[in-house]
Amino acid sequence: MTQTTAYQKPVTLKSILAFAAPTMAMSLFMSFYTMVDGLFVSNYIGSSALAAVNLTAPVIQLITAVSAMLAAGGSAVIMKKMGQQKEAEARQDFTFLILVNVAVGLLLCGAGYLLIDRLPALMNLSAQSAAYCAEYLSRYLLFTVPILLMNNFTLYLIASEKSALSLICSVCGGLLNILLDYIFIAKLGLGLGAAAVATGLGYSVTAVVGLAVFSRRSSLLHFVKPVFRLSTLVSSASNGCSEMATSLVSGVVTLLFNWTMLRYVGEDGVAAVTIIMYVLMFASSLYTGYSYGVAPMVSYYYGEQNREKLKKLVSLSLKTVGIVSLAVAALSFVAAGPLVSIFVRPDDPVYSLALRGNRLCSLALLFIGFNIFASGLFTALSNGVISAVLAFSRSFVFMSAAMLALPAMLGVDGVWLATPAAELAAFLLSALTLIKYRKRYHY
């Protein structure tokens, strides 16, 4: 008797959410325990250490950029082949791409240690902040390979209809991270480097479980003898270049934010930016989780040429994202005070900066979900070029323009309004692109 897969069921809001809910919960939880890292760092080490975590973000986002490219792009290529009934070839490609991740992770780790002292010098930081940056990065880089594997296995577990297991891994990894933060920082006072170790060990949970799961032939995707296909690597890289651009350019934008805040306010401004980024990241993770969750369905239906299901999937997704965006933006604005007070006390000068920043940045949440989904949709449709254009325009072109223009006119308020302005411009571009390509992909 042939087993019915999730891809063969009718497309309804219930079935979509059943497929995507574990990914959404996983993404939210991963953002949550990233925020918990910041909570322990800010409350037990200090705002200078919290600022240092943000100052090291460009290096960390480079690692994330590469893993996002290989994970999202590779998943689209492999699931398209599965939809075309090329299971054996898809599994060969899957194994090959995992080996590529390991090799790239080792290269990035080595390069990171060679450049570890450059970032503090570029930012003209105080001796204390420079020491914090070096301490955090030197521990974090040890986990480069597990982090790449974690990001890849998260998507491949979803594609293999093991979303619940992916969620369990993320929850367990997050709980381990929080527990180790408590032990290392709150109880033992081991410092900022211990926070990086706790994060790395938390990420490693999914990497270890993924290796075990995909070693079993009963899994829809599993390890086989790899076959080197340059076309697979090129297709994966091109399809996932938008996700890479999003993460990579995010590092550049973070540098712009940090430089601007150092100029106008000093290191307190960087700490405030860090808090705002945590809040925006937590809200944005909901959309990212949804986009990642439905991406295998989009790729499968596209490979299967099932236009009816693809059209219904996209239509329901756009309506869902729109409703959630309104609710999340309103909640972020209303709850700004309690959110900021989690990280800093009201008598701290960072508090007033972060409070106003959060309220102004909440406007961006009206558009972020739509932009994330639009870029992810084209990645899943194996159109990495369009996806990259959307992501690059949103993350770099519009954001850089806003960061250069608005602070010059409005001061610190211009820094906070740069994100909403860039997201609004990206929203308009994404809407025009979706309309333009609707007939080609029949969504």
Side-chain angles (χ1 to χ4, degrees):
M1 183 177 179
T2 304
Q3 184 178 3
T4 301
T5 67
Y7 301 104
Q8 296 169 319
K9 296 178 181 178
V11 175
T12 62
L13 181 59
K14 181 179 179 180
S15 67
I16 295 172
L17 292 178
F19 199 94
T23 318
M24 295 163 64
M26 174 186 61
S27 185
L28 282 170
F29 189 80
M30 289 178 69
S31 296
F32 172 73
Y33 75 71
T34 301
M35 291 177 67
V36 170
D37 272 348
L39 176 65
F40 277 103
V41 168
S42 61
N43 284 279
Y44 288 96
I45 305 177
S47 58
S48 293
L50 182 64
V53 173
N54 191 23
L55 291 167
T56 60
V59 178
I60 293 171
Q61 284 163 336
L62 173 60
I63 297 171
T64 304
V66 175
S67 64
M69 175 188 70
L70 294 172
S75 176
V77 170
I78 289 168
M79 291 314 297
K80 181 180 178 182
K81 288 186 177 181
M82 293 294 285
Q84 294 170 336
Q85 308 303 314
K86 299 178 181 178
E87 291 91 349
E89 186 175 330
R91 289 166 185 146
Q92 292 169 350
D93 291 343
F94 163 68
T95 309
F96 165 62
L97 289 175
I98 294 301
L99 293 175
V100 170
N101 273 273
V102 173
V104 170
L106 293 173
L107 288 174
L108 287 175
C109 180
Y113 279 108
L114 291 175
L115 301 173
I116 201 168
D117 296 323
R118 301 287 180 88
L119 181 61
L122 289 173
M123 302 296 290
N124 193 27
L125 302 176
S126 66
Q128 183 186 42
S129 293
Y132 277 141
C133 288
E135 180 184 358
Y136 190 81
L137 268 183
S138 63
R139 308 311 194 277
Y140 190 93
L141 288 171
L142 294 172
F143 297 93
T144 304
V145 172
I147 289 169
L148 262 71
L149 291 178
M150 180 274 296
N151 284 330
N152 279 263
F153 287 155
T154 294
L155 290 189
Y156 287 124
L157 284 170
I158 297 165
S160 297
E161 301 184 57
K162 292 181 172 61
S163 297
L165 177 59
S166 184
L167 172 60
I168 291 171
C169 289
S170 296
V171 170
C172 291
L175 292 176
L176 177 62
N177 186 9
I178 294 170
L179 176 63
L180 292 178
D181 273 337
Y182 176 74
I183 295 173
F184 291 163
I185 301 174
K187 288 298 183 181
L188 300 180
L190 296 180
L192 190 58
V197 172
T199 299
L201 290 174
Y203 285 158
S204 298
V205 170
T206 301
V208 172
V209 172
L211 288 172
V213 169
F214 293 120
S215 296
R216 299 165 53 189
R217 299 187 68 84
S218 58
S219 176
L220 180 66
L221 291 175
H222 55 261
F223 297 131
V224 297
K225 184 178 180 180
V227 175
F228 174 81
R229 294 186 182 91
L230 183 60
S231 60
T232 296
L233 184 57
V234 171
S235 296
S236 298
S238 61
N239 284 331
C241 62
S242 64
E243 279 68 23
M244 182 177 185
T246 299
S247 297
L248 188 58
V249 171
S250 179
V252 176
V253 171
T254 300
L255 281 174
L256 287 175
F257 265 105
N258 291 339
W259 277 329
T260 305
M261 293 307 287
L262 285 170
R263 175 186 174 188
Y264 283 96
V265 185
E267 292 184 7
D268 282 349
V270 177
V273 167
T274 308
I275 294 172
I276 302 306
M277 286 185 172
Y278 280 140
V279 175
L280 286 177
M281 175 190 64
F282 185 72
S284 299
S285 66
L286 182 66
Y287 311 121
T288 302
Y290 182 84
S291 296
Y292 279 167
V294 300
M297 299 177 73
V298 172
S299 298
Y300 192 95
Y301 297 145
Y302 177 57
E304 192 182 37
Q305 290 296 299
N306 194 324
R307 296 177 179 179
E308 181 181 351
K309 283 189 174 182
L310 181 59
K311 184 175 182 178
K312 192 168 186 179
L313 173 60
V314 174
S315 176
L316 286 172
S317 294
L318 290 174
K319 292 176 183 177
T320 302
V321 168
I323 293 171
V324 173
S325 294
L326 291 172
V328 170
L331 179 62
S332 177
F333 184 87
V334 172
L339 286 172
V340 174
S341 65
I342 293 174
F343 297 93
V344 289
R345 296 185 303 273
D347 59 348
D348 193 308
V350 174
Y351 179 86
S352 58
L353 282 170
L355 180 62
R356 181 166 179 80
N358 186 80
R359 284 177 172 159
L360 292 176
C361 280
S362 293
L363 295 170
L365 294 171
L366 294 170
F367 315 110
I368 287 176
F370 183 83
N371 295 332
I372 290 174
F373 177 75
S375 180
L377 174 65
F378 284 105
T379 296
L381 292 170
S382 296
N383 193 333
V385 174
I386 296 301
S387 183
V389 168
L390 293 178
F392 186 76
S393 298
R394 171 192 172 222
S395 302
F396 184 71
V397 177
F398 298 141
M399 182 62 77
S400 297
M403 280 296 297
L404 292 172
L406 293 180
M409 295 186 292
L410 303 173
V412 176
D413 280 353
V415 178
W416 305 129
L417 288 171
T419 300
E423 293 293 346
L424 173 58
F427 172 82
L428 297 174
L429 178 61
S430 296
L432 290 173
T433 305
L434 284 173
I435 294 170
K436 179 180 178 180
Y437 286 92
R438 182 172 55 188
K439 290 184 178 179
R440 176 189 292 190
Y441 295 107
H442 303 280
Y443 52 70

